[in-house]
Amino acid sequence: MATAITEGIKISLEASYQKEFSNPNMHHFVFTYKVTIQNCNPFTVQLLRRRWEIHDAAESLKLVEGEGVVGQQPVLEPGNSHTYLSGCTIKSGMGKMKGYFYVEKLNDGKMLTVTIPEFQLIANIFNN
């Protein structure tokens, strides 16, 4: 599990290779990842945007940017957390992801840039 705390926001991630949805012969490797965002601050924040960097050993960098996470822009009161599951595909069995969440402090409108820690995408193609 990868974990980082930036601006009082704790991000924890765990990735899993999805063998049943992958096809190594066609260079198609599917991964899911579980993200938990916890607000450790004494103020409420709202996640507005995300920016992912997906590094694939077989390709160059792919950037994915957009509003919220899986169609939501969660509001996190002090001490609360939000967990979601998402996924990605890469062409090789090895890669990594990292990025940023952009959150707003709801008490004063200040924007915070929160680091999404780097985590590995490794296909365990030899395991049953």
Side-chain angles (χ1 to χ4, degrees):
M1 178 179 287
T3 301
I5 299 174
T6 310
E7 300 277 4
I9 308 292
K10 181 179 180 181
I11 308 297
S12 302
L13 297 114
E14 205 165 359
S16 298
Y17 174 56
Q18 301 300 310
K19 184 176 183 177
E20 62 275 15
F21 299 108
S22 299
N23 187 340
N25 293 330
M26 299 297 292
H27 305 286
H28 182 78
F29 296 87
V30 179
F31 294 86
T32 57
Y33 51 92
K34 180 176 143 183
V35 181
T36 300
I37 307 158
Q38 182 179 7
N39 182 9
C40 302
N41 291 298
F43 49 81
T44 301
V45 298
Q46 182 173 17
L47 190 153
L48 298 178
R49 299 189 59 76
R50 73 195 180 292
R51 180 179 201 263
W52 286 103
E53 298 175 7
I54 304 169
H55 299 264
D56 185 340
E59 291 187 313
S60 59
L61 171 70
K62 181 172 25 171
L63 297 177
V64 177
E65 298 184 70
E67 292 187 4
V69 290
V70 292
Q72 299 179 341
Q73 292 180 314
V75 174
L76 299 170
E77 294 182 6
N80 285 358
S81 63
H82 177 79
T83 299
Y84 72 94
L85 187 67
S86 192
C88 72
T89 60
I90 58 176
K91 291 186 178 183
S92 75
M94 292 181 56
K96 60 186 177 181
M97 290 178 66
K98 65 180 180 176
Y100 300 96
F101 289 132
Y102 302 99
V103 302
E104 179 182 8
K105 289 175 59 180
L106 294 184
N107 63 340
D108 64 8
K110 181 179 177 187
M111 294 300 295
L112 306 174
T113 301
V114 178
T115 299
I116 302 170
E118 182 176 287
F119 60 100
Q120 302 298 310
L121 304 171
I122 300 174
N124 50 348
I125 58 175
F126 301 109
N127 294 345
N128 291 332

